[in-house]
Amino acid sequence: MVLFERDNEIYRDRDALREDYQPDELVGRDEELQTYQAALQPVINGEQPNNIFLYGKTGVGKTAATKYLLSHLREDAAQYDDIDLSVIFLNCDGLTSSYQIATRLVNSLRSEANQISTTGYPLASVYEMLWEDLDARGGTVLVVLDEIDHVNDDSILYQLPRARANGDLETAKIGLIGISNDFSFRDDLSPKVKSSLCEQEIHFPAYNAENLRAILEQRGDVAFHDDVLSDEVIPLCAAYGAKDAGDARQSIDLLMKAGDLARDEDTSVVTEEHVRRGRRALERGRIKEGINGLTEHGHLVLYALLTLDLDGEAPVRSRDVRPRYTRFAELANRDPLVPRRMRDHLSELAMLGIVSVSERNEGRRGGTYREYALDMDVELILSAMMETVELVGVHDSIASYVEDDDAEGSPTLEDFTEV
Ligand code: ADP
Ligand code: MG
Protein backbone atom coordinates (compact mmCIF):
# COMPACT_ATOMS: atom_id res chain seq x y z
CA MET A 1 0.00 0.00 0.00
CA VAL A 2 1.31 3.42 -0.92
CA LEU A 3 1.02 5.80 1.98
CA PHE A 4 3.01 8.72 0.65
CA GLU A 5 2.62 9.97 -2.84
CA ARG A 6 4.11 13.06 -4.42
CA ASP A 7 1.61 15.87 -4.76
CA ASN A 8 3.35 18.30 -7.06
CA GLU A 9 0.40 19.51 -9.03
CA ILE A 10 0.52 22.97 -7.56
CA TYR A 11 4.17 23.59 -6.85
CA ARG A 12 7.10 23.44 -9.20
CA ASP A 13 9.45 24.47 -6.39
CA ARG A 14 7.78 25.32 -3.11
CA ASP A 15 11.15 26.05 -1.47
CA ALA A 16 11.35 29.22 -3.55
CA LEU A 17 8.74 30.68 -1.21
CA ARG A 18 10.72 29.96 1.89
CA GLU A 19 12.62 32.44 4.02
CA ASP A 20 16.06 31.16 3.00
CA TYR A 21 15.53 31.39 -0.76
CA GLN A 22 17.77 33.94 -2.47
CA PRO A 23 16.27 35.33 -5.71
CA ASP A 24 18.64 35.73 -8.69
CA GLU A 25 17.39 39.24 -9.34
CA LEU A 26 15.73 41.84 -7.17
CA VAL A 27 12.81 43.65 -8.71
CA GLY A 28 11.84 47.27 -8.09
CA ARG A 29 14.81 48.27 -5.97
CA ASP A 30 16.91 49.90 -8.68
CA GLU A 31 17.54 53.17 -6.92
CA GLU A 32 18.54 51.64 -3.59
CA LEU A 33 20.70 49.04 -5.32
CA GLN A 34 22.48 51.74 -7.29
CA THR A 35 23.30 53.70 -4.15
CA TYR A 36 24.35 50.54 -2.37
CA GLN A 37 26.53 49.44 -5.26
CA ALA A 38 28.22 52.84 -5.40
CA ALA A 39 28.92 52.62 -1.68
CA LEU A 40 30.68 49.28 -2.26
CA GLN A 41 32.70 50.49 -5.24
CA PRO A 42 35.84 51.37 -3.18
CA VAL A 43 36.31 47.65 -2.55
CA ILE A 44 36.84 46.99 -6.25
CA ASN A 45 39.10 50.02 -6.47
CA GLY A 46 41.28 48.52 -3.76
CA GLU A 47 40.50 51.42 -1.44
CA GLN A 48 39.47 51.50 2.18
CA PRO A 49 35.78 50.43 2.15
CA ASN A 50 32.95 52.64 3.34
CA ASN A 51 30.98 51.84 6.42
CA ILE A 52 27.37 51.45 5.40
CA PHE A 53 24.18 51.62 7.40
CA LEU A 54 21.00 50.14 5.96
CA TYR A 55 17.66 50.65 7.58
CA GLY A 56 13.98 50.03 6.91
CA LYS A 57 11.16 47.89 8.24
CA THR A 58 11.22 44.10 8.09
CA GLY A 59 10.64 42.44 4.74
CA VAL A 60 11.70 45.35 2.52
CA GLY A 61 14.66 43.57 0.96
CA LYS A 62 17.61 44.72 3.07
CA THR A 63 19.06 41.28 3.63
CA ALA A 64 18.23 40.11 0.10
CA ALA A 65 19.88 43.20 -1.44
CA THR A 66 22.97 42.74 0.71
CA LYS A 67 23.39 39.08 -0.21
CA TYR A 68 22.75 39.84 -3.85
CA LEU A 69 25.31 42.64 -4.09
CA LEU A 70 27.92 40.92 -1.97
CA SER A 71 27.79 37.77 -4.05
CA HIS A 72 28.34 39.86 -7.16
CA LEU A 73 31.06 41.80 -5.43
CA ARG A 74 32.87 38.61 -4.50
CA GLU A 75 32.60 37.27 -8.00
CA ASP A 76 33.78 40.48 -9.61
CA ALA A 77 36.54 41.06 -7.08
CA ALA A 78 37.97 37.65 -7.99
CA GLN A 79 38.87 39.12 -11.39
CA TYR A 80 41.47 41.37 -9.76
CA ASP A 81 44.65 39.77 -8.49
CA ASP A 82 45.37 42.57 -6.06
CA ILE A 83 42.04 42.32 -4.24
CA ASP A 84 41.71 39.77 -1.49
CA LEU A 85 38.14 40.07 -0.25
CA SER A 86 36.60 38.29 2.73
CA VAL A 87 33.00 38.74 3.77
CA ILE A 88 31.79 37.86 7.24
CA PHE A 89 28.02 37.79 7.55
CA LEU A 90 26.54 37.68 11.03
CA ASN A 91 22.88 37.85 11.96
CA CYS A 92 22.60 39.39 15.42
CA ASP A 93 19.21 37.87 16.25
CA GLY A 94 19.86 36.12 19.54
CA LEU A 95 23.04 38.10 20.23
CA THR A 96 22.61 40.90 22.71
CA SER A 97 26.05 42.35 23.34
CA SER A 98 29.16 43.58 21.56
CA TYR A 99 31.01 40.93 23.51
CA GLN A 100 29.02 38.12 21.92
CA ILE A 101 29.48 39.61 18.48
CA ALA A 102 33.20 40.10 18.93
CA THR A 103 33.71 36.48 20.00
CA ARG A 104 31.65 35.26 17.04
CA LEU A 105 33.77 37.35 14.71
CA VAL A 106 36.99 36.02 16.18
CA ASN A 107 35.76 32.45 15.77
CA SER A 108 34.66 33.02 12.21
CA LEU A 109 38.22 34.11 11.41
CA ARG A 110 39.76 31.08 13.12
CA SER A 111 40.06 27.44 12.24
CA GLU A 112 37.95 24.80 13.95
CA ALA A 113 40.84 23.88 16.23
CA ASN A 114 41.50 27.41 17.50
CA GLN A 115 38.03 28.56 18.50
CA ILE A 116 37.76 30.64 21.67
CA SER A 117 35.21 30.23 24.41
CA THR A 118 32.32 32.68 24.13
CA THR A 119 32.60 33.68 27.78
CA GLY A 120 35.31 34.44 30.27
CA TYR A 121 37.60 36.95 28.54
CA PRO A 122 37.64 40.67 29.26
CA LEU A 123 36.12 42.55 26.32
CA ALA A 124 39.41 44.34 25.66
CA SER A 125 41.21 41.02 25.12
CA VAL A 126 38.56 39.83 22.71
CA TYR A 127 39.08 43.01 20.70
CA GLU A 128 42.85 42.41 20.79
CA MET A 129 42.32 38.94 19.36
CA LEU A 130 39.95 40.33 16.77
CA TRP A 131 42.47 42.90 15.51
CA GLU A 132 45.20 40.29 15.39
CA ASP A 133 43.05 37.83 13.49
CA LEU A 134 41.84 40.49 11.09
CA ASP A 135 45.40 41.58 10.36
CA ALA A 136 46.40 37.94 9.89
CA ARG A 137 43.60 37.53 7.37
CA GLY A 138 44.61 40.80 5.67
CA GLY A 139 43.12 42.18 2.47
CA THR A 140 39.66 43.72 2.51
CA VAL A 141 37.27 42.38 5.11
CA LEU A 142 33.60 43.31 4.99
CA VAL A 143 31.73 42.59 8.19
CA VAL A 144 27.97 42.50 7.83
CA LEU A 145 25.99 42.76 11.05
CA ASP A 146 22.38 42.06 10.14
CA GLU A 147 19.58 42.98 12.56
CA ILE A 148 21.95 44.97 14.74
CA ASP A 149 18.99 46.43 16.61
CA HIS A 150 19.16 43.31 18.79
CA VAL A 151 22.43 44.48 20.25
CA ASN A 152 22.13 46.48 23.44
CA ASP A 153 25.47 48.24 23.58
CA ASP A 154 27.19 50.05 20.76
CA SER A 155 30.84 49.35 21.60
CA ILE A 156 31.41 47.09 18.59
CA LEU A 157 29.72 49.59 16.29
CA TYR A 158 32.31 52.11 17.34
CA GLN A 159 35.33 49.82 17.56
CA LEU A 160 35.05 48.17 14.16
CA PRO A 161 34.70 51.27 11.98
CA ARG A 162 37.38 53.08 13.98
CA ALA A 163 39.88 50.23 14.24
CA ARG A 164 42.15 51.47 11.49
CA ALA A 165 42.08 55.09 12.55
CA ASN A 166 42.80 54.03 16.12
CA GLY A 167 45.88 52.14 14.98
CA ASP A 168 44.48 48.75 15.96
CA LEU A 169 44.74 47.41 12.43
CA GLU A 170 47.70 47.61 10.08
CA THR A 171 47.16 45.36 7.11
CA ALA A 172 43.44 44.62 6.99
CA LYS A 173 41.06 47.08 5.39
CA ILE A 174 37.81 46.70 7.17
CA GLY A 175 34.33 47.90 6.27
CA LEU A 176 31.24 47.50 8.43
CA ILE A 177 27.78 47.06 7.00
CA GLY A 178 25.12 47.46 9.68
CA ILE A 179 21.51 46.55 8.94
CA SER A 180 18.61 47.55 11.16
CA ASN A 181 14.88 46.79 11.06
CA ASP A 182 14.21 49.44 13.64
CA PHE A 183 13.92 53.09 12.67
CA SER A 184 14.58 54.44 16.12
CA PHE A 185 17.82 52.47 16.39
CA ARG A 186 19.69 55.04 14.34
CA ASP A 187 18.40 58.00 16.33
CA ASP A 188 19.39 56.35 19.58
CA LEU A 189 23.02 55.84 18.54
CA SER A 190 25.55 58.02 20.24
CA PRO A 191 26.93 60.80 18.01
CA LYS A 192 30.37 59.22 17.78
CA VAL A 193 28.94 55.89 16.64
CA LYS A 194 26.61 57.59 14.23
CA SER A 195 29.39 59.50 12.54
CA SER A 196 31.56 56.43 12.00
CA LEU A 197 28.96 53.77 11.22
CA CYS A 198 26.60 55.89 9.18
CA GLU A 199 29.12 57.19 6.64
CA GLN A 200 26.75 55.98 3.96
CA GLU A 201 23.13 55.60 4.91
CA ILE A 202 20.64 53.81 2.73
CA HIS A 203 16.97 53.76 3.54
CA PHE A 204 14.77 50.96 2.20
CA PRO A 205 11.16 52.21 2.10
CA ALA A 206 8.15 49.91 2.44
CA TYR A 207 6.86 48.34 -0.76
CA ASN A 208 3.62 49.49 -2.39
CA ALA A 209 1.14 47.13 -4.04
CA GLU A 210 2.78 47.52 -7.44
CA ASN A 211 6.23 46.60 -6.09
CA LEU A 212 4.80 43.61 -4.26
CA ARG A 213 3.03 42.44 -7.39
CA ALA A 214 6.28 42.40 -9.32
CA ILE A 215 8.05 40.53 -6.52
CA LEU A 216 5.25 37.97 -6.21
CA GLU A 217 5.09 37.43 -9.94
CA GLN A 218 8.80 36.76 -10.09
CA ARG A 219 8.60 34.34 -7.18
CA GLY A 220 5.36 32.74 -8.35
CA ASP A 221 6.95 31.85 -11.69
CA VAL A 222 9.62 29.85 -9.92
CA ALA A 223 7.41 28.30 -7.26
CA PHE A 224 4.19 27.35 -9.08
CA HIS A 225 3.42 25.43 -12.23
CA ASP A 226 2.07 27.42 -15.15
CA ASP A 227 -1.61 28.35 -14.97
CA VAL A 228 -1.98 27.26 -11.36
CA LEU A 229 -2.50 30.75 -9.97
CA SER A 230 -5.77 32.31 -11.04
CA ASP A 231 -5.55 35.93 -12.13
CA GLU A 232 -6.71 37.57 -8.92
CA VAL A 233 -4.32 35.73 -6.61
CA ILE A 234 -1.17 37.82 -6.94
CA PRO A 235 -2.90 41.22 -7.06
CA LEU A 236 -4.84 40.29 -3.95
CA CYS A 237 -1.76 39.10 -2.03
CA ALA A 238 -0.03 42.32 -3.08
CA ALA A 239 -2.95 44.50 -2.03
CA TYR A 240 -3.10 42.89 1.41
CA GLY A 241 0.66 43.19 1.75
CA ALA A 242 0.64 46.88 0.90
CA LYS A 243 -2.20 47.51 3.31
CA ASP A 244 -0.47 45.67 6.15
CA ALA A 245 3.11 46.82 6.20
CA GLY A 246 4.59 46.80 2.70
CA ASP A 247 6.48 43.70 3.77
CA ALA A 248 7.50 41.33 0.96
CA ARG A 249 8.09 38.46 3.38
CA GLN A 250 4.52 38.66 4.62
CA SER A 251 3.14 38.72 1.07
CA ILE A 252 5.23 35.74 0.02
CA ASP A 253 4.06 33.87 3.13
CA LEU A 254 0.48 34.61 2.16
CA LEU A 255 1.02 33.30 -1.36
CA MET A 256 2.49 30.12 0.08
CA LYS A 257 -0.37 29.71 2.55
CA ALA A 258 -2.88 30.06 -0.29
CA GLY A 259 -0.94 27.48 -2.31
CA ASP A 260 -0.87 25.10 0.65
CA LEU A 261 -4.61 25.40 1.18
CA ALA A 262 -5.23 24.60 -2.47
CA ARG A 263 -2.87 21.64 -2.28
CA ASP A 264 -4.55 20.31 0.85
CA GLU A 265 -7.83 20.41 -1.01
CA ASP A 266 -6.41 18.51 -3.95
CA THR A 267 -7.46 21.20 -6.37
CA SER A 268 -5.10 22.25 -9.14
CA VAL A 269 -5.93 25.95 -9.07
CA VAL A 270 -5.21 28.54 -6.40
CA THR A 271 -8.09 30.98 -6.10
CA GLU A 272 -8.94 34.29 -4.49
CA GLU A 273 -10.81 32.36 -1.81
CA HIS A 274 -7.62 30.49 -0.85
CA VAL A 275 -5.89 33.82 -0.39
CA ARG A 276 -8.65 35.17 1.85
CA ARG A 277 -8.68 32.04 3.97
CA GLY A 278 -4.92 31.97 4.06
CA ARG A 279 -4.86 35.52 5.31
CA ARG A 280 -7.24 34.72 8.13
CA ALA A 281 -5.17 31.71 9.13
CA LEU A 282 -1.93 33.70 9.15
CA GLU A 283 -3.56 36.50 11.08
CA ARG A 284 -4.74 34.07 13.71
CA GLY A 285 -1.25 32.64 13.95
CA ARG A 286 0.24 36.09 14.46
CA ILE A 287 -2.27 37.02 17.15
CA LYS A 288 -1.68 33.77 18.95
CA GLU A 289 2.03 34.31 18.86
CA GLY A 290 1.53 37.85 20.14
CA ILE A 291 -0.54 36.65 23.07
CA ASN A 292 1.93 33.88 23.85
CA GLY A 293 4.66 36.48 24.04
CA LEU A 294 2.91 38.56 26.70
CA THR A 295 3.84 38.48 30.35
CA GLU A 296 1.58 37.03 33.01
CA HIS A 297 0.23 40.46 33.87
CA GLY A 298 -0.42 41.11 30.21
CA HIS A 299 -2.57 37.98 30.22
CA LEU A 300 -4.38 39.05 33.38
CA VAL A 301 -5.15 42.47 31.91
CA LEU A 302 -6.39 40.83 28.71
CA TYR A 303 -8.52 38.36 30.64
CA ALA A 304 -10.09 41.24 32.58
CA LEU A 305 -10.83 43.21 29.42
CA LEU A 306 -12.18 40.17 27.62
CA THR A 307 -14.68 39.37 30.35
CA LEU A 308 -15.71 43.03 30.63
CA ASP A 309 -16.29 43.05 26.90
CA LEU A 310 -18.43 39.91 27.11
CA ASP A 311 -20.38 41.48 29.96
CA GLY A 312 -21.25 44.30 27.59
CA GLU A 313 -19.14 46.89 29.42
CA ALA A 314 -16.79 47.80 26.57
CA PRO A 315 -15.53 50.21 25.47
CA VAL A 316 -14.15 50.67 28.93
CA ARG A 317 -11.68 53.03 30.58
CA SER A 318 -8.49 51.84 32.14
CA ARG A 319 -9.68 52.77 35.64
CA ASP A 320 -12.76 50.59 35.10
CA VAL A 321 -10.66 47.65 33.96
CA ARG A 322 -8.67 47.98 37.13
CA PRO A 323 -11.02 46.43 39.73
CA ARG A 324 -11.46 43.29 37.70
CA TYR A 325 -7.79 43.07 36.87
CA THR A 326 -6.93 43.46 40.54
CA ARG A 327 -9.36 40.73 41.50
CA PHE A 328 -8.00 38.39 38.84
CA ALA A 329 -4.44 39.07 39.96
CA GLU A 330 -5.38 38.23 43.53
CA LEU A 331 -7.15 35.05 42.44
CA ALA A 332 -3.99 34.10 40.58
CA ASN A 333 -1.92 34.89 43.68
CA ARG A 334 -0.02 37.73 42.02
CA ASP A 335 0.55 41.26 43.27
CA PRO A 336 -1.41 43.64 41.03
CA LEU A 337 0.63 46.20 39.14
CA VAL A 338 0.22 49.92 39.79
CA PRO A 339 -2.34 51.63 37.49
CA ARG A 340 0.29 53.11 35.23
CA ARG A 341 1.93 49.78 34.54
CA MET A 342 -1.45 48.18 34.01
CA ARG A 343 -2.19 50.85 31.41
CA ASP A 344 1.09 50.05 29.64
CA HIS A 345 -0.21 46.53 29.18
CA LEU A 346 -3.40 47.86 27.62
CA SER A 347 -1.32 49.89 25.20
CA GLU A 348 0.75 46.85 24.34
CA LEU A 349 -2.41 44.87 23.59
CA ALA A 350 -3.54 47.68 21.35
CA MET A 351 -0.22 47.62 19.52
CA LEU A 352 -0.64 43.92 18.86
CA GLY A 353 -4.06 44.59 17.34
CA ILE A 354 -5.86 42.53 19.98
CA VAL A 355 -7.51 45.53 21.57
CA SER A 356 -8.90 48.69 20.01
CA VAL A 357 -8.44 52.12 21.55
CA SER A 358 -10.56 55.21 21.12
CA GLU A 359 -9.88 58.71 22.43
CA ARG A 360 -12.78 60.49 24.13
CA ASN A 361 -13.23 64.07 25.22
CA GLU A 362 -14.22 64.81 28.75
CA GLY A 363 -16.66 67.49 27.57
CA ARG A 364 -16.22 71.13 28.47
CA ARG A 365 -13.30 70.59 30.85
CA GLY A 366 -11.30 69.57 27.82
CA GLY A 367 -9.47 66.51 29.12
CA THR A 368 -9.21 63.39 26.99
CA TYR A 369 -9.25 59.77 28.02
CA ARG A 370 -8.95 56.45 26.29
CA GLU A 371 -11.38 53.59 26.07
CA TYR A 372 -10.53 50.01 25.28
CA ALA A 373 -12.45 47.17 23.67
CA LEU A 374 -11.67 43.73 22.34
CA ASP A 375 -10.75 43.64 18.68
CA MET A 376 -10.36 39.91 18.08
CA ASP A 377 -12.56 36.92 18.38
CA VAL A 378 -13.01 35.51 21.83
CA GLU A 379 -12.28 31.90 21.04
CA LEU A 380 -8.97 32.74 19.46
CA ILE A 381 -7.88 34.79 22.45
CA LEU A 382 -9.04 32.20 24.93
CA SER A 383 -7.20 29.45 23.10
CA ALA A 384 -3.95 31.28 23.68
CA MET A 385 -4.70 32.07 27.33
CA MET A 386 -5.79 28.82 28.92
CA GLU A 387 -3.06 28.87 31.53
CA THR A 388 -4.31 32.19 32.85
CA VAL A 389 -7.88 30.97 32.87
CA GLU A 390 -6.82 27.96 34.88
CA LEU A 391 -4.88 30.14 37.29
CA VAL A 392 -7.68 32.64 37.85
CA GLY A 393 -10.67 30.39 37.34
CA VAL A 394 -13.44 30.44 34.77
CA HIS A 395 -15.31 33.74 34.81
CA ASP A 396 -19.09 33.46 34.24
CA SER A 397 -18.90 35.36 31.00
CA ILE A 398 -16.67 32.77 29.34
CA ALA A 399 -18.36 29.69 30.78
CA SER A 400 -20.21 28.94 27.56
CA TYR A 401 -16.97 29.11 25.56
CA VAL A 402 -15.14 26.88 27.95
CA GLU A 403 -17.87 24.29 28.33
CA ASP A 404 -19.02 24.41 24.74
CA ASP A 405 -19.38 21.02 22.98
CA ASP A 406 -17.54 19.39 25.81
CA ALA A 407 -19.08 16.01 26.39
CA GLU A 408 -16.05 14.41 28.00
CA GLY A 409 -15.71 16.44 31.16
CA SER A 410 -13.45 19.37 31.91
CA PRO A 411 -12.13 21.57 29.11
CA THR A 412 -8.87 20.73 27.44
CA LEU A 413 -6.67 22.88 25.29
CA GLU A 414 -7.91 21.03 22.21
CA ASP A 415 -11.34 22.50 22.72
CA PHE A 416 -9.91 25.92 22.06
CA THR A 417 -7.55 25.35 19.21
CA GLU A 418 -8.60 27.06 16.05
CA VAL A 419 -11.22 25.58 13.81
P1 ADP B 1 14.55 42.50 5.26
O1 ADP B 1 15.97 41.99 5.39
O2 ADP B 1 14.46 43.93 4.87
O3 ADP B 1 13.72 42.19 6.47
P2 ADP B 1 14.42 40.47 3.21
O4 ADP B 1 15.58 40.90 2.39
O5 ADP B 1 14.60 39.30 4.09
O6 ADP B 1 13.85 41.70 4.07
O7 ADP B 1 13.17 40.24 2.23
C1 ADP B 1 12.04 39.49 2.61
C2 ADP B 1 11.68 38.50 1.53
O8 ADP B 1 11.23 39.19 0.37
C3 ADP B 1 12.84 37.64 1.07
O9 ADP B 1 12.33 36.37 0.75
C4 ADP B 1 13.34 38.33 -0.16
O10 ADP B 1 13.94 37.43 -1.02
C5 ADP B 1 12.06 38.93 -0.74
N1 ADP B 1 12.32 40.20 -1.42
C6 ADP B 1 12.41 41.40 -0.80
N2 ADP B 1 12.62 42.37 -1.69
C7 ADP B 1 12.66 41.77 -2.91
C8 ADP B 1 12.83 42.26 -4.25
N3 ADP B 1 13.02 43.57 -4.48
N4 ADP B 1 12.80 41.38 -5.27
C9 ADP B 1 12.60 40.07 -5.02
N5 ADP B 1 12.44 39.54 -3.80
C10 ADP B 1 12.46 40.38 -2.74
MG1 MG C 1 16.70 41.01 7.07
Side-chain angles (χ1 to χ4, degrees), residues 56-357:
K57 291 197 200 147
T58 46
V60 296
K62 302 181 300 298
T63 303
T66 302
K67 293 205 161 153
Y68 170 80
L69 283 180
L70 289 182
S71 85
H72 276 281
L73 184 67
R74 261 186 174 144
E75 215 170 276
D76 297 343
Q79 309 300 313
Y80 300 89
D81 291 337
D82 57 343
I83 300 177
D84 175 15
L85 172 65
S86 316
V87 175
I88 305 176
F89 188 99
L90 191 63
N91 188 306
C92 303
D93 188 7
L95 305 178
T96 52
S97 64
S98 293
Y99 185 89
Q100 288 177 320
I101 292 177
T103 53
R104 293 299 156 103
L105 292 177
V106 167
N107 283 334
S108 71
L109 288 158
R110 291 188 170 203
S111 66
E112 205 60 56
N114 287 317
Q115 301 281 302
I116 61 166
S117 149
T118 51
T119 53
Y121 299 96
L123 181 58
S125 340
V126 180
Y127 282 140
E128 282 307 315
M129 292 186 246
L130 182 56
W131 311 142
E132 253 173 54
D133 293 342
L134 281 168
D135 264 342
R137 170 71 59 102
T140 303
V141 185
L142 291 181
V143 175
V144 185
L145 299 179
D146 200 355
E147 307 192 16
I148 47 172
D149 32 301
H150 287 105
V151 182
N152 295 325
D153 69 288
D154 57 13
S155 154
I156 188 96
L157 302 180
Y158 178 69
Q159 294 292 341
L160 274 175
R162 305 282 310 158
R164 218 176 149 94
N166 288 345
D168 295 321
L169 288 176
E170 275 163 27
T171 47
K173 295 178 188 167
I174 186 163
L176 176 61
I177 300 177
I179 307 176
S180 171
N181 288 331
D182 180 354
F183 279 104
S184 59
F185 180 82
R186 182 192 171 284
D187 298 332
D188 294 343
L189 290 172
S190 70
K192 65 176 190 178
V193 172
K194 208 177 288 178
S195 70
S196 40
L197 168 64
C198 307
E199 249 172 9
Q200 298 271 332
E201 282 183 355
I202 308 172
H203 174 225
F204 278 56
Y207 288 121
N208 61 27
E210 197 187 323
N211 302 142
L212 292 173
R213 240 157 117 149
I215 293 170
L216 291 173
E217 257 154 32
Q218 177 209 42
R219 201 62 67 92
D221 281 346
V222 185
F224 293 94
H225 286 297
D226 295 341
D227 303 324
V228 160
L229 299 180
S230 47
D231 289 347
E232 324 81 59
V233 166
I234 282 181
L236 189 59
C237 290
Y240 278 139
K243 183 165 156 262
D244 289 344
D247 174 338
R249 170 85 269 140
Q250 224 168 305
S251 304
I252 296 171
D253 283 347
L254 177 55
L255 186 60
M256 176 153 78
K257 189 78 195 172
D260 287 355
L261 287 172
R263 181 167 73 171
D264 292 347
E265 275 174 12
D266 267 338
T267 65
S268 51
V269 181
V270 185
T271 64
E272 199 176 327
E273 180 54 26
H274 291 125
V275 177
R276 292 190 199 283
R277 274 186 11 231
R279 181 172 144 89
R280 279 197 295 274
L282 290 176
E283 172 107 318
R284 294 172 85 88
R286 266 198 291 280
I287 294 295
K288 245 180 158 154
E289 222 172 82
I291 294 179
N292 287 337
L294 297 173
T295 62
E296 217 168 44
H297 283 284
H299 288 146
L300 290 167
V301 172
L302 179 56
Y303 191 21
L305 185 70
L306 175 116
T307 54
L308 285 165
D309 195 297
L310 288 173
D311 284 342
E313 305 283 336
V316 59
R317 296 178 66 160
S318 163
R319 66 173 186 210
D320 298 324
V321 176
R322 184 143 186 91
R324 186 162 295 180
Y325 158 73
T326 310
R327 206 176 97 225
F328 283 2
E330 280 159 3
L331 285 167
N333 256 326
R334 305 287 185 266
D335 291 330
L337 299 171
V338 297
R340 217 193 115 64
R341 292 286 301 125
M342 192 203 81
R343 228 177 18 245
D344 289 345
H345 282 290
L346 284 170
S347 307
E348 194 182 355
L349 291 168
M351 246 163 49
L352 287 170
I354 300 169
V355 158
S356 65
V357 197

